[in-house]
Amino acid sequence: MFCPKCGASLAEGAVFCHNCGYNLSGVSQDPAAAPVSPLENTKTKLQNPLFLAICILLTVSAGVGFFFGSFDVLAILIVIGVWLVYAGSTGENTNLIGSGIKVTSVSVKIGYVLTYVGAGLIILFGLLCLLIFGMIGDAVGEFTTEIYAGFEEALMENHVDAETSAMMYEFIDAFIKAITELSGVVIGVILFVATLLSAGIMILVNVLFTGRFSKYLTNVSRAYNECRPIELNERGVATRILVYGIFLGIGALSTLATGALFGFISQGSMVAACILSYILLKKAD
């Protein structure tokens, strides 16, 4: 017999499911009863209309983003993956479910790795800004030295005594040079700190969300291929998806505030997909 909740194979007469802890006391123990395999159990859960809505929303999000500036190939691959899963869950070819999960899992994993690469490049850019603006400050400082050398000559031509003109020149030259050098360093530091914050946010999101989603999809893919019960809400992934959706919602509102309508539609569709995913996974729990 199989667990009616998660589809795990059970010993005859079991009182609780060893996989999910479901109470089997009210379940028929008739051996002749048609068992539900883990794969059929998963297929049934994916036939929920919410999953179709999620597929549509992800398609809208990726499509609008692709045609209006983002060109996110990985998002397109994820959409292809979820539609394969949907096709397999509603049709006879259940192999499409495994293929779809695999495509989605690999796409998310690639995005996970590329995010770290992108964060590293951003930090490198910040270091270059720090170096370049410091050099610019030095160059401008040297340029002002040449300018005020001419200024000193002009003072002498106007019969300003040499000592006074030298003092004025040294003061003005030192002041302008210090300001320009300091300005270059300050601008470089500001840009460097900004890049560090940006890279830090990317890494934080990667660790808390993308990395967890990648591991989750890998486990789901492996369980499906091995015909083992699939825990759709493994380790509370539904809650992580909801929190991720909230962060995306904040970004969508800021996008709307700037007047970027298509960006808002793209991000808003993703937010709606996250909310529906949370509901679907909690129902499957």
Side-chain angles (χ1 to χ4, degrees):
M1 62 179 292
F2 295 92
C3 173
K5 181 180 180 182
C6 70
S9 178
L10 305 172
E12 294 299 330
V15 179
F16 293 95
C17 173
H18 63 81
N19 182 61
C20 68
Y22 186 75
N23 189 344
L24 302 167
S25 58
V27 179
S28 172
Q29 303 294 316
D30 183 5
V36 180
S37 71
L39 299 188
E40 286 298 321
N41 184 276
T42 301
K43 181 178 177 181
T44 300
K45 291 178 180 179
L46 292 175
Q47 290 173 350
N48 192 307
L50 286 177
F51 187 60
L52 173 59
I54 292 168
C55 292
I56 294 172
L57 287 169
L58 290 177
T59 303
V60 171
S61 177
V64 171
F66 187 84
F67 287 109
F68 293 95
S70 69
F71 303 107
D72 192 343
V73 176
L74 291 178
I76 299 297
L77 290 175
I78 290 173
V79 168
I80 293 174
V82 296
W83 277 112
L84 286 174
V85 173
Y86 178 77
S89 64
T90 56
E92 296 298 325
N93 188 1
T94 56
N95 290 331
L96 291 177
I97 297 178
S99 299
I101 294 174
K102 185 67 175 178
V103 170
T104 305
S105 174
V106 171
S107 300
V108 172
K109 184 172 292 184
I110 292 174
Y112 174 72
V113 174
L114 289 180
T115 298
Y116 280 118
V117 174
L121 291 176
I122 288 175
I123 293 174
L124 179 60
F125 174 75
L127 289 171
L128 289 175
C129 288
L130 189 61
L131 177 62
I132 291 172
F133 277 94
M135 293 173 63
I136 290 175
D138 291 339
V140 173
E142 294 299 328
F143 179 67
T144 57
T145 299
E146 297 178 4
I147 292 176
Y148 284 99
F151 175 71
E152 182 182 17
E153 293 177 2
L155 289 174
M156 295 179 67
E157 289 175 0
N158 285 278
H159 309 292
V160 177
D161 63 272
E163 183 179 354
T164 302
S165 67
M167 290 176 60
M168 293 177 65
Y169 162 71
E170 289 177 3
F171 172 75
I172 295 175
D173 176 63
F175 178 76
I176 297 298
K177 190 173 182 180
I179 290 296
T180 52
E181 290 178 355
L182 180 62
S183 298
V185 172
V186 168
I187 294 173
V189 169
I190 290 174
L191 290 175
F192 179 62
V193 171
T195 55
L196 279 182
L197 289 175
S198 178
I201 292 174
M202 290 174 63
I203 293 173
L204 182 63
V205 171
N206 222 29
V207 171
L208 295 179
F209 302 107
T210 312
R212 186 66 196 90
F213 299 156
S214 177
K215 291 180 181 178
Y216 165 74
L217 289 171
T218 299
N219 292 340
V220 169
S221 178
R222 185 179 297 115
Y224 190 87
N225 292 332
E226 296 174 359
C227 296
R228 293 188 288 105
I230 298 175
E231 187 179 350
L232 291 179
N233 190 22
E234 178 189 356
R235 297 182 182 178
V237 71
T239 302
R240 288 180 183 264
I241 291 176
L242 180 62
V243 175
Y244 181 65
I246 292 173
F247 280 116
L248 289 179
I250 295 173
L253 291 176
S254 64
T255 301
L256 182 63
T258 61
L261 179 60
F262 290 111
F264 173 74
I265 293 174
S266 178
Q267 292 190 35
S269 299
M270 181 64 74
V271 172
C274 288
I275 294 173
L276 293 184
S277 297
Y278 171 79
I279 296 172
L280 177 63
L281 292 175
K282 294 299 287 185
K283 282 187 175 182
D285 195 2

